[in-house]
Amino acid sequence: SNLWYLFSHSVDKAWKELSNILSGIFCASLNFIDSTNTVTPTASFKPLGLANGTDHNLLRYAVLPREVVCTENLTPWKKLLPCGSKAGLAVLLKAERLFHSSYHSQAVHIRPICRDASCLAVSWELRQTLTVVFDTFSSGQGKKDWSLFKMFSRTLTDACPLASQSKVYVDISPKNKEKELLEVTPPPASVHEAIVQGDRRTYAVYDLLSPSLFNTSRSLNVQLKWKRPQDSSELPTPVLHAQRYVSGYGLQTGEISTLIYNTHPYRAFPVILLETVPWYLRLYVHTLTIITKGKENKPSYIHYQPAQDRRRPHLLEMLIQLPANSVTKITIQFERALLKWTEYPPDPNHGFYVSSSVLSALVPSVIAMKDMDVEQSPLFTSLFPSLDGSSYFVRLYTEPLLVNLPTPDFSMPYNVICLTCTVVAVCYGSFYNLLTRTFHVEEPSRGGLAKRLANVIRKFRGVPPL
Amino acid sequence: GSAFLSAVFLALATYQSLYPLTLFAPALLYLLQRQFIPIKLKSKSFWLYTMQYAALYLCSLVVIICLSFFLLNSWDFIPSVYGFILSVPDLTPNIGLFWYFFAEMFEHFSLFFVCVFQINVFFYTIPLAIKLKEHPVFFMFVQIAIISIFKSYPTVGDIALYMAFLPVWNHLYRFLRNIFILSCVLIVCSLLFPVLWHLWIYAGSANSNFYYAITLTFNIGQILLISDYFYAFLRREYYLTHGLHLTRQDGTEAMLVLK
């Protein structure tokens, strides 16, 4: 889970309060956000919506890579919706089907916007997004057909009465422009065309608020059937995508490598990479190398803030120019630290998570996008923002990494204390002996206690003494 | 034999890591010996010389620290350098005793044990000074060895430093009691250190306990080596004053014993 916010004043105290309040609202362990996983990025995050001149010192970004999203996070998220999960589109969001999926992501965005065109008053816009990837191919007996009932085990019955708009958009963009490959039932009332992320896409629109939708049947079950049998057509690769992995062997050193792919055929564009590495992986910044197409690629802006043990993580921000149709490899070596035994999580050999790095870029789109009316399609302009028609903004998150640290033996604290103190005592004892005693010539002794006792017994027996 | 130079270099060594502070006492004793000033607590010349030397040492130390302050324009380097040496926050495994100790320490007691371990380096100085006041060079050797065993981040370089001085006391060889087993222990431990490190960190088939055990054994070996040399030194002193062949009252050969 990650959290970022731009404050206006008194940042650190407000940050702690914010993370604790949000942790309570969303039942997520955001209260574990403290200075060891919070950074202050300088370039990667710009505030959305209205903002006065931004000082990047007032921005905080934190990631908790170990936190996973589950049902108890979905429930308060649904409660924020005006009708909850009782009416409208949210009736589909039942936990047992939503989490039976390949990918699940929830987000809440809050930003200040103008209330009207003259911008005399500012109101807060709350935008909630839920992204779920269902793999019907593997769970649906090899067919790519889907329906709302198959995915969510329920259908839509009505719209939320508090909603001013309630629409379902189904992507029916044809891959080849020749014939129709797919069929959507029930037939949509209208079709909307938009250019999304550089691609021209066609959407079938179902407006839940229009009275004609529920005329024929009480419930709406959108179904999509593919007419042709499955041809192994690959999905188009996005223009910008990235991977990250850890290499190296042993528990002492390692290397983090990030691969960034630019599949645009002829345009190069810059990308901002933000990496947050926890303090117990000590980065060697002098080993940072960026290689594109076999040659070194020097970033035009680097901001590096080294970590302080147990206080703050490493922060590395770079602006890298990606040439067209290329792969850029960024590598940096690190060393693993030994922590105190109380700082290990309950399953220490599972490893420690390194949070995903964030790539922000304005990707040039292959197709020129026309200026869209904000009121006409608020969904698309807020989900896929673009400054001008020629590029769109993308923020990518790479995979989190799992890194093993050397562990002490957790069953041994008492033994270790005893043994180490024994060694110290050996030193103390021998030195004490040598310092306080002096050499003497040995006097013949009368015999030890055992000898004397033996002699006493012998006297009783009448036997000559030793 | 120059007091000024020795004060300056000692201040430099103390500035780098805190522990050479304890070498002030043997240096002072050596210089007093050269000036033929007897070490009596009531003698004025003793106190005068001590004060002069201490003033030289402290002034050079203060000058060096202030130079660092002016280079850096803040006092941040003092907690970073000396606070780090004293509070042992980094637990990277080394050949000393403390890394595993503080890795397994209960949080409640960590301050107490940090203080105890740091005092351990410093508190042998005064008793050794009293016992070895006529032999400052040997005193310095023992002090260097104690520093290199008990400092917070020992290295093989520190051990090499005092072991380089062992040939100076070659004449003590006949009085050493356990030199064979101790040298075997030290050699075997030096050979096992990289093996067990590799097994723990790279092969994954050993535990941190293996490496820790070798650390313990190696340090015990060093401690016993130093105390053996100390014993041999004191025994030779006794023989120097009382003669080599000792006889008891009835003429038989005598044994020396520490009592």
Side-chain angles (χ1 to χ4, degrees), chain A residues 251-252 341 409 420 424 440 442, chain B residues 103-104 202 209 212 255 257:
Chain A
L251 292 174
Q252 193 174 13
W341 70 311
D409 189 354
T420 312
V424 175
H440 295 285
E442 186 187 359
Chain B
E104 301 265 8
Y202 292 103
N209 291 333
Y212 170 65
M255 292 284 292
V257 119

Side-chain angles (χ1 to χ4, degrees), chain B:
Chain B
S2 154
F4 174 67
L5 271 181
S6 106
V8 166
F9 283 114
L10 204 58
L12 268 176
T14 312
Y15 166 73
Q16 263 194 328
S17 71
L18 212 47
Y19 298 108
L21 181 65
T22 57
L23 296 177
F24 175 76
L28 176 66
L29 288 172
Y30 178 73
L31 289 166
L32 283 173
Q33 215 180 42
R34 279 186 76 94
Q35 306 280 340
F36 302 109
I37 300 174
I39 301 164
K40 284 207 225 319
L41 276 180
K42 298 211 176 58
S43 119
K44 230 199 235 169
S45 55
F46 163 70
W47 283 113
L48 191 63
Y49 196 83
T50 309
M51 287 299 130
Q52 280 177 342
Y53 187 65
L56 268 176
Y57 172 69
L58 285 173
C59 281
S60 26
L61 193 60
V62 164
V63 162
I64 297 174
I65 291 186
C66 286
L67 261 177
S68 315
F69 169 69
F70 286 128
L71 272 176
L72 202 60
N73 276 331
S74 76
W75 291 109
D76 281 346
F77 74 98
I78 290 194
S80 300
V81 177
Y82 304 116
F84 184 86
I85 294 177
L86 289 176
S87 64
V88 196
D90 177 32
L91 299 171
T92 313
N94 47 49
I95 56 173
L97 298 159
F98 292 172
W99 59 276
Y100 206 51
F101 190 77
F102 289 116
E104 301 265 8
M105 173 60 60
F106 300 103
E107 280 302 313
H108 192 61
F109 299 107
S110 68
L111 183 63
F112 168 69
F113 276 107
V114 160
C115 294
V116 165
F117 272 120
Q118 299 296 345
I119 287 175
N120 213 11
V121 183
F122 292 101
F123 91 118
Y124 287 110
T125 310
I126 309 264
L128 279 174
I130 295 173
K131 182 86 181 182
L132 291 173
K133 57 179 179 279
E134 279 109 34
H135 312 104
V137 186
F138 188 73
F139 176 25
M140 185 167 278
F141 165 73
V142 174
Q143 193 61 60
I144 291 178
I146 289 180
I147 290 176
S148 76
I149 296 172
F150 288 114
K151 67 191 288 197
S152 37
Y153 294 103
T155 59
V156 186
D158 301 316
I159 298 174
L161 178 65
Y162 80 81
M163 284 209 179
F165 288 121
L166 285 181
V168 177
W169 287 284
N170 235 348
H171 51 272
L172 298 175
Y173 177 75
R174 50 186 296 190
F175 304 113
L176 290 171
R177 284 184 299 178
N178 304 317
I179 192 63
F180 175 68
I181 190 164
L182 285 176
S183 47
C184 284
V185 162
L186 288 176
I187 290 176
V188 168
C189 285
S190 320
L191 292 174
L192 278 178
F193 261 126
V195 171
L196 290 173
W197 175 257
H198 179 90
L199 277 180
W200 173 29
I201 297 285
Y202 292 103
S205 53
N207 216 346
S208 52
N209 291 333
F210 291 69
Y211 187 78
Y212 170 65
I214 295 299
T215 307
L216 283 180
T217 326
F218 189 70
N219 280 304
I220 288 205
Q222 282 184 68
I223 289 170
L224 292 177
L225 179 75
I226 297 303
S227 61
D228 209 18
Y229 264 89
F230 196 12
Y231 172 86
F233 189 83
L234 291 176
R235 193 168 168 147
R236 182 174 171 270
E237 289 303 310
Y238 184 83
Y239 280 136
L240 277 180
T241 49
H242 292 88
L244 199 52
H245 300 286
L246 301 164
T247 53
R248 277 188 230 150
Q249 272 128 6
D250 48 0
T252 54
E253 189 160 338
M255 292 284 292
L256 264 194
V257 119
L258 270 181
K259 266 212 223 286

Side-chain angles (χ1 to χ4, degrees), chain A residues 202-250:
Chain A
T202 315
Y203 289 91
V205 182
Y206 295 90
D207 191 350
L208 289 174
L209 286 172
S210 77
S212 59
L213 191 66
F214 293 108
N215 270 350
T216 44
S217 62
R218 291 273 309 281
S219 70
L220 171 67
N221 182 17
V222 180
Q223 279 177 325
L224 188 131
K225 283 202 181 47
W226 291 81
K227 290 213 193 121
R228 283 247 207 95
Q230 314 312 322
D231 44 352
S232 57
S233 58
E234 292 171 9
L235 287 173
T237 52
V239 177
L240 174 70
H241 62 281
Q243 278 179 329
R244 201 162 73 136
Y245 57 90
V246 169
S247 50
Y249 66 95

Side-chain angles (χ1 to χ4, degrees), chain A residues 119-369:
Chain A
C119 215
L120 290 168
V122 170
S123 41
W124 290 94
E125 176 198 76
L126 169 73
R127 183 158 64 91
Q128 292 177 251
T129 62
L130 180 73
T131 310
V132 181
V133 175
F134 285 100
D135 194 356
T136 54
F137 195 74
S138 59
S139 61
Q141 288 97 34
K143 285 199 232 158
K144 285 206 288 192
D145 306 338
W146 55 267
S147 72
L148 281 183
F149 188 74
K150 259 201 238 170
M151 286 199 294
F152 299 104
S153 66
R154 6 186 97 65
T155 55
L156 295 164
T157 47
D158 55 1
C160 174
L162 292 171
S164 51
Q165 270 195 11
S166 189
K167 291 188 185 161
V168 176
Y169 291 85
V170 180
D171 187 349
I172 52 172
S173 323
K175 286 227 183 53
N176 318 321
K177 297 188 179 52
E178 310 136 351
K179 2 178 167 171
E180 308 241 328
L181 278 175
L182 40 82
E183 180 202 345
V184 184
T185 51
S190 64
V191 165
H192 178 87
E193 277 206 9
I195 297 186
V196 163
Q197 290 196 336
D199 249 351
R200 189 184 304 281
R201 295 200 197 158
T202 315
Y203 289 91
V205 182
Y206 295 90
D207 191 350
L208 289 174
L209 286 172
S210 77
S212 59
L213 191 66
F214 293 108
N215 270 350
T216 44
S217 62
R218 291 273 309 281
S219 70
L220 171 67
N221 182 17
V222 180
Q223 279 177 325
L224 188 131
K225 283 202 181 47
W226 291 81
K227 290 213 193 121
R228 283 247 207 95
Q230 314 312 322
D231 44 352
S232 57
S233 58
E234 292 171 9
L235 287 173
T237 52
V239 177
L240 174 70
H241 62 281
Q243 278 179 329
R244 201 162 73 136
Y245 57 90
V246 169
S247 50
Y249 66 95
L251 292 174
Q252 193 174 13
T253 52
E255 190 179 73
I256 298 180
S257 310
T258 312
L259 291 169
I260 311 182
Y261 299 86
N262 175 9
T263 55
H264 201 283
Y266 50 86
R267 290 283 297 272
F269 55 90
V271 68
I272 297 183
L273 173 70
L274 168 75
E275 282 211 26
T276 314
V277 179
W279 64 266
Y280 38 82
L281 301 181
R282 305 201 162 114
L283 293 182
Y284 293 134
V285 187
H286 72 282
T287 57
L288 175 68
T289 54
I290 308 172
I291 298 190
T292 309
K293 289 189 192 168
K295 285 192 304 191
E296 202 192 316
N297 183 358
K298 214 160 134 45
S300 36
Y301 168 75
I302 297 190
H303 173 70
Y304 174 67
Q305 202 181 41
Q308 282 181 344
D309 268 11
R310 298 183 178 94
R311 263 189 270 165
R312 61 167 199 234
H314 296 276
L315 171 68
L316 181 62
E317 262 187 295
M318 294 187 287
L319 179 66
I320 306 170
Q321 190 76 13
L322 301 178
N325 215 9
S326 66
V327 179
T328 305
K329 184 165 179 187
I330 302 158
T331 55
I332 188 165
Q333 289 176 6
F334 63 87
E335 189 192 52
R336 305 172 207 224
L338 185 73
L339 304 176
K340 297 189 182 162
W341 70 311
T342 49
E343 290 170 352
Y344 286 88
D347 184 7
N349 290 307
H350 179 70
F352 285 77
Y353 283 97
V354 179
S355 45
S356 35
S357 44
V358 183
L359 292 139
S360 323
L362 275 174
V363 181
S365 62
V366 181
I367 304 175
M369 305 190 281

Side-chain angles (χ1 to χ4, degrees), chain A residues 373-388:
Chain A
D373 209 6
V374 176
E375 275 110 47
Q376 220 179 44
S377 47
L379 179 69
F380 290 97
T381 47
S382 61
L383 275 183
F384 311 112
S386 69
L387 265 187
D388 46 31

